[in-house]
Amino acid sequence: MGNLERFKIDLKGMKTDNEDFHFVLDDDYFDSLDTEEVSGGNINAYLNVKKTGDEFLLTFQIEGNATVTCDLCLEPMSQYVETESQMVARFGDSYSEDGDDITVPADDGTIDVSWLFYELTALAIPTRHAHDEGQCDPEMLRRISELVGNDEQEDNTDSRWSALEQLKSTTKE
């Protein structure tokens, strides 16, 4: 299990009004979060924190490869992701998130960005993930094809479809 402590940013203790952070989101990071959609990866994650008065502008940049499950053969595959996003953090009584606005407890003054990086990564992944043509596990594709073939035959004999076809033919006459 990886250590997520490195993702805690001490906003109160910032030495300058503009600081840059770099993180690598690797397999240990994703294992620590224990999520299903992304199981691993090698992603460069950058965060720029700019203090502007009572607020902090957080600029996230993510680029790299995430490991996801192929929708066709169910084997792990590498999916390139790239995204940039901005959020605003300010101090308040308790932690809360409202869209792109984050309230950080004033007495603590730290923000944990580990889950924010995960959410941004997951949102950058296309809805459909599939290996490039010819890269899927051929044995798994064969098994799925056999199962899908059986389901299609059952659908063709569904009595509801027959009744609809009869209704369709009588309305044409």
Side-chain angles (χ1 to χ4, degrees), residues 52-124:
T52 57
D54 293 340
E55 297 181 339
F56 298 86
L57 179 64
L58 310 174
T59 303
F60 296 85
Q61 292 181 322
I62 296 171
E63 181 180 9
N65 290 298
T67 304
V68 296
T69 302
C70 176
D71 292 337
L72 300 177
C73 70
L74 306 178
E75 291 294 318
M77 63 169 278
S78 181
Q79 176 69 56
Y80 179 75
V81 292
E82 182 176 13
T83 188
E84 185 173 325
S85 184
Q86 289 188 332
M87 298 179 186
V88 175
R90 61 185 56 84
F91 295 124
D93 295 331
S94 61
Y95 184 85
S96 68
E97 287 183 43
D98 184 18
D100 292 339
D101 292 328
I102 301 168
T103 302
V104 177
D107 58 336
D108 182 20
T110 62
I111 183 171
D112 184 348
V113 295
S114 60
W115 189 253
L116 296 173
F117 275 124
Y118 174 77
E119 286 179 334
L120 292 170
T121 300
L123 288 172

Side-chain angles (χ1 to χ4, degrees), residues 10 23 30 36 39 78 95 104-105 117 120 137 139 152 162 165 170:
D10 183 6
F23 305 97
F30 290 105
E36 292 184 21
S39 60
S78 181
Y95 184 85
V104 177
F117 275 124
L120 292 170
D137 179 2
E139 178 62 20
E152 287 175 358
S162 298
E165 282 298 322
T170 58

Side-chain angles (χ1 to χ4, degrees), residues 158-173:
D158 188 336
S159 61
R160 294 174 291 182
W161 290 115
S162 298
L164 287 172
E165 282 298 322
Q166 287 176 352
L167 180 62
K168 183 177 167 184
S169 65
T170 58
T171 57
K172 286 184 180 178
E173 296 172 354

Side-chain angles (χ1 to χ4, degrees), residues 119-132:
E119 286 179 334
L120 292 170
T121 300
L123 288 172
I125 295 171
T127 306
R128 185 178 190 287
H129 356 101
H131 284 105
D132 290 336

Side-chain angles (χ1 to χ4, degrees), residues 6-24:
R6 61 191 169 112
F7 291 95
K8 291 185 178 179
I9 309 296
D10 183 6
L11 297 176
K12 276 186 165 180
M14 284 182 53
K15 295 178 182 18
T16 64
D17 287 345
N18 191 9
E19 291 192 32
D20 292 312
F21 301 89
H22 174 246
F23 305 97
V24 176

